[in-house]
Amino acid sequence: MDIIKPAIENILYPVMEKRRGNHVRAITASLQSMERVSQNELLSLRENKLRCLLLHCVKYVPAYKPLQNLIPEIETDPLAALESFPLLTKDIFRADPESFIADNADRAQLIANNSGGSSGNPISFFMDRFTVEQYEAARWRGLSWYGITPGSRCLMIWGNPFDLDKMAMRQFRLTERYLKNRRIIPAYALDPVAMKNHLRLIKRYRPEYLYGYSGALTQFARLMLEQGLKLSLPLKAVVSTSETLYPYQRELLEKAFFAPVVNEYGARDGGIIAYQCPCGSLHLSAENLIAQVVDIQSKAPLSPGEKGLLILTDLHNYVQPRIRYQLGDEVALSPDPCACGRVLPVLDEVLGREDAIFVTIEGRLVHGVAFANCIKRVQEVEAFQIIQSAPDKAKVLLVTRDGLEPPGLKSVKNDYQVLLPGTKISYELVESIPPAASGKIRYTVREFSL
């Protein structure tokens, strides 16, 4: 019997709400109530939030004070005024983050954070507790669609905090286990020899859901299937986050775990951006953000259904606002509503990181998902990474089942050459592909700018 779950939900959360002013459950309930309002009600809410944010920015944020001439338009049509704010790239923000801190921000209450750095250049930024609670509530709203609540037992396949000393590590594990009802299998420890021990832990712990990087979950599922191991445990969901979830990965996870595979789309510097509903649609956290899509090269706005770069405006971070922030992901907004009846807008596709877009010698753009789709045909390939260092040069790292080059790789090489005509592509068999410091494995990497 799980006694930690009711303790968290009936004791811990009420205490946090009373003593610390925690609002996560109240915000979650508010988000749930907004799911099925009219489109006009949702639009009105977002316009009001955007109006307040933009007025705050031009009055109190040094980087945006030069735009005070937009105040009349902000007051009458904030969505139109938003288009007059410049796109904010990570390089621009990184060059002078201090100028984005509001003059009236309580610096004693600032919460430091940084992006995962999977692209090699992490972004450091500040939030406040109000913003953090909005992100948390968006996650619990999405998980609630699968019957998961804040106290639900969770088994995470995740990165470990290696920088903690032994005492801090012990405290971290106790906090995870007894205050969050979570156990962690390190994403770095997915050794075939350890799989039976991992499965024993899961069966003994009996989590309601699994949560982890898509690559780590996929590797775990692959090792299970290769060793003929079964979980034999009903799961409410397998939640994939932090990395692009490719169709072949979803198929593998469903085959291994016999549970709904849920895509959580978020970023440390973007919050919980979208959550997949049981009907399969990725619903935007529309109450928390404004999402726009622009052309990768021209930065011109695109219509729903067209693929481009995601531009985010966080509606709640008043201490260090980032307006029209270029997150670095390629997506497409859907022109159609979801059959589930929720009014939240839908992301049609999340193709992945901008730095996973490759460039041919002629300048044509090719997304990394195309390479993943090709390599999945070769069953002997357990992991791969393709790195493009220049338009005419790329390298493919391969981990194969027996350490040898499989016969089926020949057709993949031909396909890769079609995708990158004229590019010299070398191939190297390796024992493993190490994850980045964040624990994520980057399957496709471009090392030069577009």
Side-chain angles (χ1 to χ4, degrees), residues 153-168:
R153 278 188 180 181
C154 174
L155 190 288
M156 300 178 69
I157 302 180
W158 205 248
N160 254 2
F162 290 121
D163 53 335
L164 298 178
D165 58 31
K166 289 184 179 180
M167 183 62 72

Side-chain angles (χ1 to χ4, degrees), residues 135-398:
Y135 294 170
E136 281 297 301
R139 172 179 285 115
W140 291 121
R141 190 257 298 270
L143 288 171
S144 74
W145 298 340
Y146 299 88
I148 296 168
T149 59
S152 293
R153 278 188 180 181
C154 174
L155 190 288
M156 300 178 69
I157 302 180
W158 205 248
N160 254 2
F162 290 121
D163 53 335
L164 298 178
D165 58 31
K166 289 184 179 180
M167 183 62 72
M169 177 66 81
R170 184 172 181 271
Q171 182 63 43
F172 170 80
R173 287 173 176 163
L174 289 173
T175 299
E176 290 294 305
R177 183 166 184 177
Y178 295 110
L179 298 184
K180 297 182 179 180
N181 212 6
R182 301 194 303 213
R183 298 290 294 270
I184 297 176
I185 293 176
Y188 310 92
L190 300 184
D191 188 317
V193 178
M195 285 303 296
K196 289 184 179 179
N197 289 334
H198 292 330
L199 264 291
R200 275 195 291 268
L201 167 65
I202 297 176
K203 290 176 182 178
R204 186 171 64 250
Y205 184 56
R206 299 189 65 82
E208 291 187 43
Y209 67 109
L210 305 185
Y211 184 95
Y213 306 135
S214 62
L217 287 169
T218 301
Q219 177 68 358
F220 194 92
R222 179 181 289 114
L223 290 172
M224 277 181 58
L225 294 172
E226 287 177 357
Q227 297 182 29
L229 300 174
K230 294 183 179 180
L231 194 56
S232 302
L233 178 72
L235 294 170
K236 292 181 176 178
V238 177
V239 183
S240 167
T241 189
S242 294
E243 298 173 322
T244 303
L245 177 65
Y246 295 115
Y248 80 91
Q249 293 174 315
R250 180 184 293 278
E251 293 173 11
L252 194 64
L253 294 174
E254 289 173 345
K255 183 178 180 181
F257 297 116
F258 298 99
V261 177
V262 181
N263 194 359
E264 176 189 273
Y265 176 40
R268 288 194 191 176
D269 49 346
I272 299 300
I273 299 166
Y275 234 94
Q276 182 184 343
C277 76
C279 287
S281 297
L282 262 178
H283 288 278
L284 284 168
S285 302
E287 306 92 338
N288 289 355
L289 55 86
I290 301 293
Q292 301 169 292
V293 181
V294 300
D295 183 80
I296 291 174
Q297 293 175 304
S298 71
K299 304 302 188 287
L302 297 176
S303 300
E306 297 182 294
K307 301 171 186 176
L309 291 179
L310 177 64
I311 307 299
L312 284 183
T313 298
D314 184 333
L315 295 173
H316 293 114
N317 189 344
Y318 277 62
V319 296
Q320 195 180 39
R322 295 186 300 279
I323 308 299
R324 303 192 75 206
Y325 179 61
Q326 186 172 307
L327 189 63
D329 286 348
E330 187 184 14
V331 305
L333 292 170
S334 174
D336 303 315
C338 178
C340 73
R342 293 177 176 88
V343 297
L344 304 173
V346 172
L347 277 180
D348 195 35
E349 285 185 280
V350 179
L351 293 166
R353 304 295 300 174
E354 177 191 3
D355 57 11
I357 300 171
F358 290 175
V359 185
T360 68
I361 292 175
E362 297 83 8
R364 184 170 56 87
L365 304 181
V366 182
H367 200 279
V369 69
F371 298 90
N373 288 337
C374 290
I375 201 73
K376 72 176 183 180
R377 299 197 308 263
V378 186
Q379 299 297 320
E380 295 88 350
V381 174
E382 296 185 339
F384 84 102
Q385 185 180 66
I386 177 168
I387 305 165
Q388 188 181 31
S389 55
D392 62 350
K393 187 176 180 181
K395 177 173 65 175
V396 178
L397 303 179
L398 295 165

Side-chain angles (χ1 to χ4, degrees), residues 90-102:
K90 295 187 177 185
D91 286 341
I92 293 173
F93 180 82
R94 191 185 287 113
D96 190 12
E98 183 71 20
S99 69
F100 291 89
I101 298 179

